[in-house]
C-alpha cells in the first residue's frame, strides 16, 4: 500500500524558495525586516506547495499565544456580556482569541484566575475587579500587559470605563426635577468602585438639593435582589427608587406588579446600564445608558497597543446618557 505523501513543511518551502529556515519563518510571520523580494519568493513557494503555518508552531516562534484572558465577576450580567461582545469582536478582527474566566464575585477566585490565565495567554483584561486597590496595584505588574475596566487610574495599566458618578447624578437630577424628595437607593456590589461612585453622587445631590432624603437599602446585582426588597421599599415611604442596575430595577418592578402597585403612579423606578430588556419592561425603564460594547472595544485597543509596542491612553472614561422612559413621573399627590 502506497504511503500518503506527508504535509509540506517549512523545510520544503525553504528549499523551493532557496532561502534559510529563519527567512521563511520571518516572512510567513510578516516581519517587516525581510526583503520584499525574498518575502514574495517565500509566499510563492508556500502557495505552490500548499503550505500553511502551524498555529502552535507559530506561537512558539513568536513567543505568543495570540490569546488574551478576560476575568469578569459575573458572566450572567448582560452588561458584562456586552463588554465581552465588543472586546471579542475587536480582538478577532486583529487575529486574537479571547479566553473568558468568571470569578463569580469571589475575591480569592478573581486573584487566582488572573494569575493562572496570564500563564496561558499574552495578557489579561480585568473587567470590574472587586479586589481592594492596594491588592490590585500589586497584582497588575505581574500580569503585564494588562488592562483594567471600571476602576480608578492605575500606575501600571491603562483603565477603560464609564463615569458612573455622572450617570447617577443625571438620574437623581431627573427625579428631583419631577418633584421627588424622598428616594431609595438599592445598593448592589458594595465592594465595587462603581458603587462608591454612585454613593458619592447621591451625597453630592443631597448637599445641593433642599429637602432631599435618600435611604440606602442593601439589595444585590440581579433580578432576585430587586424582588426580595419590594416590601422594604414600600415600607420606606419613598416616592422613587434608584436601583443599582437594570436587573435589580426589573426585579423590583416585577414584584410591584404582583402587589398591584402602580408604576410610576405610586412609585417611580430607575435602573442603570440600559441593557437590551430595559426598553421592553412594562412600563419601559428609565435608566442611564452605558456604552458597554464600546468599552469592550476600547479595552481591546488598549491591550493591542501594548502587544504591538504602541502607547495606549492611560485612562479612557465614557459618559453614560440618561434615557427617560415610562417608569418615572412626578410623585403622586394624595
Amino acid at each position: 500500500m502506497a504511503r500518503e505523501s506527508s504535509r509540506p513543511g517549512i523545510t520544503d518551502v525553504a528549499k523551493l524558495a532557496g532561502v534559510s529556515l529563519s527567512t521563511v519563518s520571518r516572512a510567513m510571520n510578516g516581519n517587516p525586516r525581510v526583503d520584499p523580494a525574498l518575502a514574495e519568493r517565500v509566499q510563492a513557494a508556500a502557495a505552490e506547495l500548499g503550505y500553511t503555518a502551524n498555529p502552535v508552531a507559530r506561537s512558539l516562534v513568536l513567543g505568543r499565544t495570540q490569546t488574551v484572558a478576560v476575568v469578569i465577576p459575573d458572566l450572567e450580567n448582560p452588561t458584562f456580556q456586552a463588554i465581552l461582545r465588543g472586546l471579542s469582536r475587536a480582538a478577532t478582527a486583529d487575529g486574537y482569541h479571547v479566553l473568558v474566566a468568571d470569578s463569580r464575585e469571589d475575591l480569592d477566585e478573581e486573584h487566582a484566575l488572573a494569575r493562572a490565565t496570564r500563564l496561558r495567554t499574552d495578557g489579561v483584561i480585568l473587567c470590574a475587579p472587586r479586589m481592594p486597590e492596594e491588592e490590585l496595584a500589586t497584582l497588575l505588574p505581574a500580569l503585564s500587559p494588562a488592562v483594567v475596566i471600571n476602576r480608578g487610574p492605575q500606575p501600571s495599566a491603562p483603565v477603560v470605563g464609564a463615569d458612573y458618578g455622572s450617570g447617577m447624578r443625571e438620574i437623581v437630577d431627573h427625579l428631583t426635577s419631577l418633584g421627588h424628595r424622598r428616594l431609595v437607593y438599592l445598593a448592589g456590589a458594595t465592594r465595587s468602585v462603581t458603587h462608591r461612585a454612585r454613593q458619592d453622587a447621591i451625597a453630592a445631590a443631597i448637599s445641593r438639593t433642599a429637602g432631599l432624603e435618600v435611604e440606602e437599602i442593601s439589595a444585590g446585582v440581579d433580578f432576585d435582589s430587586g424582588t426580595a426588597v419590594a416590601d422594604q421599599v414600600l415600607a420606606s415611604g419613598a416616592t422613587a427608587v434608584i436601583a443599582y442596575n437594570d436587573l435589580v430595577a426589573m426585579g423590583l418592578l416585577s414584584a410591584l406588579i404582583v402587589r398591584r402597585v402602580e408604576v410610576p403612579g405610586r412609585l417611580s423606578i430607575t435602573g442603570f446600564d440600559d441593557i437590551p430588556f430595559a426598553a421592553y419592561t412594562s412600563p419601559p425603564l428609565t435608566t442611564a445608558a452605558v456604552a458597554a460594547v464600546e468599552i469592550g472595544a476600547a479595552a481591546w485597543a488598549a491591550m493591542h497597543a501594548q502587544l504591538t509596542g504602541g502607547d495606549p491612553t492611560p485612562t479612557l472614561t465614557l459618559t453614560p446618557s440618561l434615557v427617560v422612559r415610562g417608569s418615572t413621573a412626578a410623585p403622586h399627590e394624595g
Side-chain angles (χ1 to χ4, degrees):
M1 183 176 178
R3 182 181 178 182
E4 280 190 26
S5 59
S6 60
R7 176 182 174 183
I10 190 172
T11 303
D12 302 308
V13 176
K15 183 176 180 181
L16 181 59
V19 299
S20 67
L21 292 176
S22 60
T23 297
V24 173
S25 177
R26 290 195 298 271
M28 295 300 291
N29 289 322
N31 191 316
R33 296 182 180 180
V34 178
D35 180 87
L38 285 181
E40 184 177 348
R41 201 158 79 207
V42 169
Q43 296 290 347
E48 181 179 337
L49 293 170
Y51 169 80
T52 55
N54 184 312
V56 175
R58 183 174 185 271
S59 295
L60 291 173
V61 170
L62 296 176
R64 291 184 179 176
T65 65
Q66 295 298 111
T67 301
V68 296
V70 183
V71 180
I72 63 171
D74 181 10
L75 188 54
E76 293 183 350
N77 188 307
T79 298
F80 293 140
Q81 292 174 10
I83 290 173
L84 285 173
R85 185 162 63 251
L87 196 158
S88 61
R89 286 176 179 174
T92 298
D94 285 328
Y96 281 76
H97 305 286
V98 175
L99 171 67
V100 180
D102 185 351
S103 68
R104 299 167 296 182
E105 299 281 356
D106 186 316
L107 290 180
D108 292 334
E109 182 76 0
E110 182 178 67
H111 193 283
L113 282 173
R115 286 188 174 277
T117 56
R118 180 61 183 91
L119 296 175
R120 298 170 175 81
T121 61
D122 299 331
V124 176
I125 298 172
L126 293 176
C127 185
R130 303 306 198 222
M131 65 185 70
E133 194 65 35
E134 300 78 13
E135 185 177 343
L136 178 61
T138 301
L139 175 64
L140 285 174
L143 302 180
S144 183
V147 176
V148 183
I149 296 176
N150 283 340
R151 286 294 291 253
Q154 302 296 322
S156 57
V159 177
V160 178
D163 185 348
Y164 284 85
S166 171
M168 180 60 81
R169 182 171 62 250
E170 287 210 46
I171 288 174
V172 176
D173 288 349
H174 166 65
L175 292 173
T176 56
S177 71
L178 292 173
H180 295 278
R181 290 297 182 272
R182 193 163 185 180
L183 314 179
V184 161
Y185 165 51
L186 299 182
T190 55
R191 294 175 300 188
S192 73
V193 170
T194 61
H195 163 67
R196 293 194 290 276
R198 288 167 167 87
Q199 284 184 316
D200 291 344
I202 290 172
I206 292 172
S207 68
R208 70 172 183 269
T209 308
L212 178 59
E213 300 176 14
V214 182
E215 178 183 348
E216 182 173 314
I217 295 177
S218 295
V221 298
D222 57 15
F223 189 92
D224 290 341
S225 300
T227 303
V229 296
D231 289 333
Q232 285 180 263
V233 169
L234 292 174
S236 72
T239 61
V241 179
I242 303 170
Y244 180 80
N245 63 23
D246 292 340
L247 288 178
V248 176
M250 292 163 65
L252 174 62
L253 183 59
S254 176
L256 294 178
I257 290 174
V258 171
R259 290 163 173 77
R260 300 184 182 277
V261 176
E262 292 185 4
V263 176
R266 181 178 169 188
L267 196 64
S268 288
I269 299 176
T270 66
F272 210 113
D273 291 333
D274 196 25
I275 63 176
F277 316 112
Y280 303 103
T281 57
S282 182
L285 190 63
T286 293
T287 186
V290 175
V293 173
E294 289 79 358
I295 288 175
W300 168 251
M303 173 58 73
H304 190 247
Q306 294 179 86
L307 293 171
T308 55
D311 186 18
T313 302
T315 304
L316 177 62
T317 304
L318 304 182
T319 303
S321 58
L322 180 68
V323 180
V324 178
R325 299 192 179 106
S327 68
T328 52
H332 178 68
E333 294 182 5

